[in-house]
Amino acid sequence: MTTKEKLIALRTKMKERGLQAYIIFSSDPHGSEYVSDHWRCRSWISGFTGSAGTVVVTLQDAGLWTDFRYFIQATEELKDSGIKLFKMGEPGVPPFIDWLADSLEDESVVGMDGRTLTLKDWEAMAVPFTPRQIRIDGQDDLIGELWLDRPSEALEPVWLLSDEEAGVKSRDKISDIRRIMTQGHVDATIISSLDDIAWILNMRGGDVPYNPVIQSFLYISLKELIWFVDDRKLDESIHTALQSLGVQWLPYGEVEQRMSMLESDITLYVSPERSSSALISALPEGIKVVKGIDFSTRLKAEKNQGEQKRIRKVMEKDGVALVRFIIWLRRRLEEGVLSELEAAKALKGFRSEQDGFLGESFSPIPAYKAHGAICHYEAKEQNQFFLEKDSLFLIDSGGQYKEGTTDITRTLALGAPTEREILDYTLVLKGHIALSQAVFPAGTRGYQLDILARMALWNAGLNYGHGTGHGVGYILNVHEGPQKISPHPIDETLRPGMVCSNEPGIYREGQHGIRIENLILVQPWTECPENETFYRFETLSLCPYERSLIDSSLLTRDEIGWVNNYQEEVFRRLSPLLGEKAKIWLREETLEIT
């Protein structure tokens, strides 16, 4: 069916159920950012393939709400679909909840699959809906009824991290969580977040593309541990590990039934951003529900010393792969053009040559020329560009390894760069350096540092519409909370062990995009001249910057010194792992700038 035909079929179903609107979210029952193919309902109904967005269908209209990263992509993918694009955050664009409240008549019914509606979103809807007596109905999976060839749930095998790989035993993590529960007078918690569950149990899987997680729920009380998971994913070694932890495992589909059987006088802790409304609705009346970030989320974000050591090692592996890729790319262009997808495939190939490579950490962004201005561009056979010895090539990519998760962006000049390209790159680099050099007191939030990455751009009348940095997991999700570096005032302090990205950019629609990204690790600032607790960033990623795009006259002496020190560190750590020709190339690319 075409998108228009799908909308007609959906509206027919809506009329049969007495629904005046239907919402299709991008999520799964776990509040995940990336979902398995089974849960890509929003992509199926709309044709929009970006990772973030919400489709709302009424009997007369249909709209997609998505953010800055996908404005250009969504415009292209929604052509002739019958779905209007609502650019979130733009002046005059209402949130979809407000748009629905204004569009529907009193006592209307809004349907959705309640498993994909988080408790947080349900509560947000209730505010404008209640005065209008608009009712939320989460019982109907209408997309599931229409999507006849819907992929089955994933059944990838679960594998166990060794104590050395995990850094902290699962038993100790569970004890830490129970200690926090006791301090907070909480009897139990139900965890829906897939990366939290994988971290707690020191297990990994493959149920979600790019994220080595296991579709499941984990119930933790002061006396009981229950893992709701499909047993077909577990072998005897996993059974043995679970038994040693005192974990009982039950079928994935039994979670709502078991939650409905909880004693009604307990205090249950849940994450409103990760728990589905269907799961919470199953709880018996009388249960006291306490809401907040999962206890494990902050523990997981602060990487232990074992994890930090292995992450540094994986940055060397990833850096070697990137260096070999850039050398290959430049040689390949001497022979003729190549496509964006060919370049992305080649980079994956160089990563796969590294020991412990598990796969990519997200869908790579190989963006040439104007495609670089599409913040989360996705190359496809029908729309990709062919690289030539001209303009800029932005490559944003990452890998999953047995030692950690990587995410890095480099912008390369494939020909003689223009003055504008050099200026733009240097301004982005200045912001990138400013954040890398930051020292800050304990208690600092990411939004208090975000301006450092933007100041050079602001002084030139430029800005970018995405956040500057996101948390990154350890052999887990490439986007991890709770910390973030962005203009949004997220009340989460940056603490030692947290890994963030540092990725300012410039995006000129129809021309080029420039982004420079490294991963950075929060560390104590041991050189603080006062007896105060301050932190700094350790730069983790290892790959040279593009020398031909740097205008050193725009850099301060301090900035030049920082770049030279970084480039020398790249050469010092990567050169022993490279062949002689690659080592010579890297030496030239990391020579000092003056």
Side-chain angles (χ1 to χ4, degrees):
M1 291 188 289
T2 65
T3 298
K4 288 183 177 179
E5 290 171 335
K6 292 174 184 177
L7 291 175
I8 292 172
L10 176 58
R11 287 182 174 122
T12 299
K13 292 280 186 183
M14 289 164 57
K15 291 175 183 177
E16 292 174 358
R17 309 295 169 84
L19 304 176
Q20 283 68 53
Y22 196 81
I23 306 176
I24 305 99
F25 299 99
S26 299
S27 190
D28 59 8
H30 308 275
S32 304
E33 176 186 13
Y34 295 107
V35 300
S36 67
D37 290 343
H38 178 82
W39 293 103
R40 292 177 62 84
C41 299
R42 188 260 303 145
S43 296
W44 180 84
I45 190 69
S46 67
F48 169 62
T49 59
S51 65
T54 300
V55 169
V56 179
V57 180
T58 68
L59 297 177
Q60 296 81 28
D61 301 298
L64 166 76
W65 277 256
T66 192
D67 61 46
F68 162 84
R69 299 170 296 169
Y70 300 105
F71 288 171
I72 299 174
Q73 177 183 343
T75 299
E76 291 294 322
E77 293 183 338
L78 292 180
K79 280 182 180 177
D80 302 320
S81 67
I83 300 175
K84 178 183 177 182
L85 173 61
F86 289 82
K87 298 180 178 180
M88 292 167 54
E90 294 287 286
V93 177
F96 76 85
I97 297 174
D98 294 344
W99 181 84
L100 260 180
D102 291 339
S103 301
L104 298 177
E105 296 181 358
D106 290 355
E107 300 183 1
S108 294
V109 182
V110 178
M112 67 209 53
D113 182 350
R115 295 173 298 174
T116 65
L117 172 67
T118 65
L119 176 59
K120 179 182 177 181
D121 287 338
W122 185 92
E123 292 174 335
M125 284 184 194
V127 174
F129 285 6
T130 300
R132 302 279 310 281
Q133 295 182 296
I134 296 174
R135 185 166 62 86
I136 300 171
D137 182 353
Q139 300 300 312
D140 295 315
D141 177 16
L142 300 187
I143 302 302
E145 296 178 22
L146 296 171
W147 191 359
L148 300 182
D149 58 347
R150 185 174 185 174
S152 301
E153 296 276 19
L155 285 174
E156 295 299 318
V158 174
W159 48 281
L160 187 66
L161 295 183
S162 67
D163 290 345
E164 179 185 0
E165 290 170 330
V168 174
K169 294 181 179 180
S170 178
R171 187 180 308 279
D172 295 333
K173 295 177 180 180
I174 294 168
S175 295
D176 286 341
I177 293 169
R178 282 176 165 159
R179 173 180 49 80
I180 297 171
M181 289 167 57
T182 300
Q183 293 171 348
H185 306 289
V186 169
D187 298 305
T189 181
I190 178 71
I191 302 174
S192 301
S193 168
L194 301 184
D195 56 323
D196 281 82
I197 295 169
W199 179 83
I200 293 168
L201 297 177
N202 285 345
M203 296 182 185
R204 300 295 188 265
D207 289 345
V208 177
Y210 309 113
N211 298 337
V213 295
I214 309 129
Q215 187 164 304
S216 57
F217 297 92
L218 182 63
Y219 175 79
I220 302 177
S221 72
L222 298 178
K223 297 181 179 179
E224 195 174 27
L225 289 165
I226 305 176
W227 192 22
F228 297 92
V229 63
D230 193 320
D231 185 58
R232 289 175 291 179
K233 305 172 188 177
L234 314 180
D235 62 19
E236 285 304 313
S237 66
I238 301 298
H239 289 167
T240 301
L242 293 173
Q243 289 167 347
S244 70
L245 292 171
V247 177
Q248 177 186 6
W249 60 97
L250 295 176
Y252 175 78
E254 289 188 10
V255 63
E256 291 182 19
Q257 178 187 358
R258 286 300 297 255
M259 291 302 100
S260 70
M261 297 166 58
L262 294 177
E263 295 179 3
S264 60
D265 60 347
I266 70 169
T267 298
L268 181 71
Y269 188 93
V270 302
S271 168
E273 295 184 345
R274 308 303 289 270
S275 302
S276 74
S277 61
L279 182 63
I280 303 305
S281 296
L283 299 174
E285 290 187 14
I287 280 188
K288 181 181 179 182
V289 175
V290 178
K291 293 172 285 189
I293 296 172
D294 284 317
F295 298 129
S296 50
T297 299
R298 289 191 176 95
L299 298 173
K300 170 168 56 69
E302 299 175 34
K303 307 298 181 285
N304 61 60
Q305 290 300 317
E307 291 171 329
Q308 292 182 34
K309 181 179 179 180
R310 294 174 68 83
I311 288 170
R312 292 187 188 96
K313 185 67 176 178
V314 83
M315 294 299 165
E316 295 177 357
K317 290 184 176 183
D318 209 53
V320 167
L322 282 157
V323 165
R324 289 174 174 167
F325 165 73
I326 295 171
I327 294 171
W328 172 86
L329 178 68
R330 298 202 184 284
R331 289 176 179 168
R332 179 68 174 75
L333 286 173
E334 294 295 333
E335 303 170 3
V337 300
L338 76 154
S339 71
E340 292 171 329
L341 287 175
E342 287 175 325
K345 182 179 179 181
L347 177 52
K348 181 180 180 181
F350 285 110
R351 281 194 167 105
S352 68
E353 294 173 359
Q354 300 298 311
D355 289 340
F357 179 71
L358 302 172
E360 294 171 303
S361 59
F362 59 96
S363 180
I365 303 174
Y368 181 53
K369 284 189 173 180
H371 281 167
I374 304 174
C375 191
H376 272 217
Y377 167 69
E378 183 176 358
K380 298 179 180 178
E381 289 287 349
Q382 63 270 25
N383 71 345
Q384 65 175 326
F385 286 164
F386 284 81
L387 281 61
E388 303 178 67
K389 294 177 66 176
D390 179 45
S391 193
L392 303 181
F393 177 53
L394 183 157
I395 178 72
D396 186 349
S397 66
Q400 295 283 8
Y401 300 82
K402 291 295 291 289
E403 294 94 346
T405 303
T406 69
D407 181 6
I408 186 169
T409 306
R410 286 297 183 263
T411 303
L412 309 175
L414 302 189
T418 66
E419 290 185 9
R420 169 52 67 185
E421 291 168 346
I422 292 172
L423 174 61
D424 284 354
Y425 185 93
T426 307
L427 291 176
V428 172
L429 180 61
K430 285 174 73 70
H432 176 81
I433 295 170
L435 183 57
S436 302
Q437 291 183 307
V439 293
F440 48 94
T444 298
R445 277 76 171 162
Y447 67 85
Q448 295 171 299
L449 300 180
D450 181 78
I451 190 175
L452 297 176
R454 298 178 191 269
M455 187 55 68
L457 296 172
W458 284 2
N459 288 336
L462 296 165
N463 195 20
Y464 51 94
H466 57 77
T468 300
H470 56 83
V472 178
Y474 170 73
I475 326 178
L476 279 173
N477 297 4
V478 76
H479 294 150
E480 177 182 87
Q483 77 277 16
K484 197 171 186 180
I485 302 174
S486 84
H488 302 292
I490 298 172
D491 188 19
E492 192 66 43
T493 60
L494 296 173
R495 297 181 297 281
M498 286 183 166
V499 176
C500 299
S501 64
N502 171 7
E503 48 181 314
I506 288 177
Y507 308 95
R508 296 189 180 275
E509 187 171 351
Q511 299 178 48
H512 63 252
I514 293 170
R515 186 163 62 253
I516 303 172
E517 177 187 16
N518 283 340
L519 298 189
I520 51 180
L521 172 67
V522 181
Q523 294 280 35
W525 185 34
T526 56
E527 295 84 10
C528 182
E530 302 290 338
N531 188 25
E532 300 289 343
T533 302
F534 268 68
Y535 303 134
R536 65 172 181 85
F537 289 121
E538 172 190 347
T539 295
L540 296 171
S541 305
L542 297 168
C543 184
Y545 299 120
E546 184 64 288
R547 287 173 54 85
S548 66
L549 287 172
I550 301 175
D551 183 350
S552 59
S553 70
L554 299 178
L555 301 180
T556 66
R557 181 171 302 198
D558 190 45
E559 289 169 338
I560 289 174
W562 189 91
V563 170
N564 287 337
N565 287 337
Y566 174 78
Q567 299 280 71
E568 185 60 30
E569 177 78 356
V570 170
F571 180 77
R572 182 184 69 82
R573 291 176 61 185
L574 297 189
S575 59
L577 307 174
L578 296 168
E580 197 59 35
K581 290 184 179 180
K583 188 182 300 184
I584 293 171
W585 178 90
L586 184 61
R587 178 71 283 177
E588 293 176 350
E589 291 298 309
T590 55
L591 292 175
E592 287 191 352
I593 60 173
T594 60

